[in-house]
Amino acid sequence: METAVRGMINTFPAPLDELDTDATARCVEACIACAQACTACADACLSEGVVGELVTCIRTDLDCADLCTATAAVLSRHTGHDTEVTMAVLAACRTACRVCAAECERHASSHEHCRICAEACRTCEEACRTLLDRLG
């Protein structure tokens, strides 16, 4: 089944010479899913009775969500594509996902939302790494 992300990439009228369209689509989809998971995790953390213990988790969730959103946006624009900018955004997203996953994993045994978020972050981290490898 073709997703909206893949459909938009596949209908781009100009050739996407250096981009691996499958890896790009997987990365955009992973970024969108991770941004949603991180936003929801931060919100869930705010509802926990131990919110004071989750301040770092909330902060990393929100940072990661913002970077994932920005990365999905950059990867979705192909006209005038700049590989250097794309690689920098992917590297930042990969780092944010790694840091957020590690923080959420610290709370995963107590908070299911943190476990789910950590999984989404690890998936996105890997998708960013794969695309970086293909671009580099």
Side-chain angles (χ1 to χ4, degrees):
M1 180 174 120
E2 184 173 85
T3 64
V5 169
R6 290 173 193 275
M8 293 305 294
I9 289 172
N10 290 336
T11 61
F12 192 73
L16 301 175
D17 298 329
E18 64 200 52
L19 285 178
D20 177 324
T21 56
D22 285 335
T24 300
R26 278 192 302 277
C27 194
V28 170
E29 291 164 349
C31 285
I32 292 167
C34 190
Q36 188 280 328
C38 288
T39 300
C41 186
D43 188 61
C45 286
L46 288 169
S47 295
E48 295 289 352
V50 292
V51 70
E53 296 172 17
L54 298 170
V55 170
T56 301
C57 190
I58 294 165
R59 173 59 191 262
T60 57
D61 280 338
L62 296 175
D63 288 347
C64 191
D66 287 345
L67 282 164
C68 286
T69 299
T71 302
V74 168
L75 292 176
S76 295
R77 294 189 291 263
H78 304 289
T79 304
H81 170 79
D82 185 301
T83 301
E84 186 177 356
V85 170
T86 299
M87 290 179 75
V89 171
L90 282 165
C93 188
R94 181 186 62 190
T95 299
C97 288
R98 179 181 46 77
V99 169
C100 190
E103 179 61 27
C104 280
E105 286 164 353
R106 290 182 54 232
H107 310 286
S109 63
S110 301
H111 306 291
E112 181 68 4
H113 54 85
C114 287
R115 184 193 64 74
I116 293 168
C117 185
E119 287 179 7
C121 288
R122 293 294 182 201
T123 299
C124 191
E125 176 187 12
E126 178 61 23
C128 289
R129 186 198 59 74
T130 298
L131 190 53
L132 270 169
D133 289 348
R134 300 229 170 119
L135 288 172

